[in-house]
Amino acid sequence: MTPKEVLEFAQQKEARQLDLRFTDLPGLSQHVSYPISQLDEASFEEGFGIDGSSIRGWAAINESDMLLIPDPNTAFIDPFGEARTLVMTSDVIDPITRQHYERDPRWIARKAENYLRNSGIADTAYFGAEAEFFIFDNIRFDQNHNAGFYFIDAEEGRWNSSRAQNNLGYRPRYKEGYFPVPPTDHYQDLRAEMVETMIRCGLNIECHHHEVATGGQCEIDQRFDTLVKSADNMMLYKYVIRNTANQYGKTVTFMPKPLFGDNGSGMHTHQSLWKAGKPLFAGDGYAGLSQLALWYIGGLIKHGPALSALIAPTTNSYKRLVPGFEAPVNLAYSRRNRSAACRIPMYSASPKAKRVEFRPPDPSCNPYLAFAAMMMAGLDGVENKIDPGQPLDKDIYDLGPEELAKVPSMPGSLEDALDALERDHGFLLKGDVFTEELVRTYIEYKRTKEVDAIRLRPHPYEFALYYDI
């Protein structure tokens, strides 16, 4: 829509509030609201002022003034507000220079798209992310000087099978929650409402289902779209899921590994390059791939350890990415081995369907940074003709120690991932897509706010292991 069309849309829908949204560095959606009378056509150039120093990972106090410029193409009516509210995603602008703010994740994703077009290799990168999540009924957690705990409960959790009261059974067994029909799948109706709400907000949804874990693990799949649009869609996806669940008295988490002893939540990310409307990943190579696609995979594999700091960006991510548990920790590619980081889906022979599925990402990531970084890694593979090596088609459990030692793997912790990013981030700096200052800020934030914060605190299980030592 044009700015004029947005104003007409707001009037037609009788909007009374304006809600502007943007994303902080770790990937949490932020917002500020105004009476709808504050919006006019000039607003799309002049913007709305905010204090950037109060946003995680953003400006210092002496350079705090920022402008939010609404993107008219992102307008929709919030399905959850009591007051009719027009929502738009915003770009962040420096009010003095009128330049895009370099720590705005959406701007980094837009620069990645610009770099792709200028490279001459392709003009469009498509991303389709499959984000998994858990639906719980109750969550308690705390951490202070003399105590630290968490307690999760879910009506669907297999651990409730022995409950004496109000117990009708029908709960997925651990690691057996994939595709049961109701009543074992408790959340068919809830997911259906999430999907219908997403469609009303403009998202294109392909399917939804229960996932492998007990306790309410689910997946809703969006149709692929361009890089920035897919990242915008992921932020809206999370918003709709959380708020729909909240209306039902449920709570949703996108933490990668909230439950011990059952599957974690990933965000397998399908990606492909196109030029002039034609797919570039289809060819006569392995699994029907082109040489360009194999080089792209080579870039993902080579830069996998560095990428992990952006695509699996929490300490909890590495509770999921553990070798030996079907997790995609092996930096290799395969058309059938799901423990390989890069899988080539074989559902369709159509050239348009040819893509690579990168499996290590999880839904705790900032999608703007993650999608941009993955594409930059893949492009580096194409530009430098990086050989991805031989495919990993054997069962990983059948490999001997010598063979397994030859397969590189993802880092084992966020600390290791940040070290890898510190060593290897030149591919992100091409075209000033990421800046050196942004990478340093991100690494420092993650080390001080997350890695060190976890390292300093006793873990509850340490008491079980060591209290009587």
Side-chain angles (χ1 to χ4, degrees), residues 79-98:
F80 302 106
E82 290 289 336
R84 190 66 63 86
T85 301
L86 175 72
V87 180
M88 284 184 283
T89 300
S90 301
D91 293 308
V92 184
I93 302 295
D94 186 306
I96 298 175
T97 65
R98 300 297 299 186

Side-chain angles (χ1 to χ4, degrees), residues 68-147:
L68 298 180
I69 305 292
D71 181 345
N73 292 310
T74 63
F76 70 94
I77 296 297
D78 191 327
F80 302 106
E82 290 289 336
R84 190 66 63 86
T85 301
L86 175 72
V87 180
M88 284 184 283
T89 300
S90 301
D91 293 308
V92 184
I93 302 295
D94 186 306
I96 298 175
T97 65
R98 300 297 299 186
Q99 299 296 310
H100 285 273
Y101 183 46
E102 292 295 342
R103 296 191 197 178
D104 175 15
R106 193 170 192 255
W107 172 232
I108 293 168
R110 289 178 64 183
K111 286 192 291 182
E113 287 190 323
N114 292 338
Y115 179 79
L116 176 66
R117 286 188 289 267
N118 292 334
S119 73
I121 294 170
D123 53 37
T124 307
Y126 284 117
F127 281 77
E130 303 170 344
E132 298 164 351
F133 54 94
F134 279 88
I135 302 171
F136 295 141
D137 287 276
N138 190 52
I139 175 71
R140 294 186 287 126
F141 53 88
D142 197 9
Q143 179 74 55
N144 51 49
H145 290 84
N146 69 319

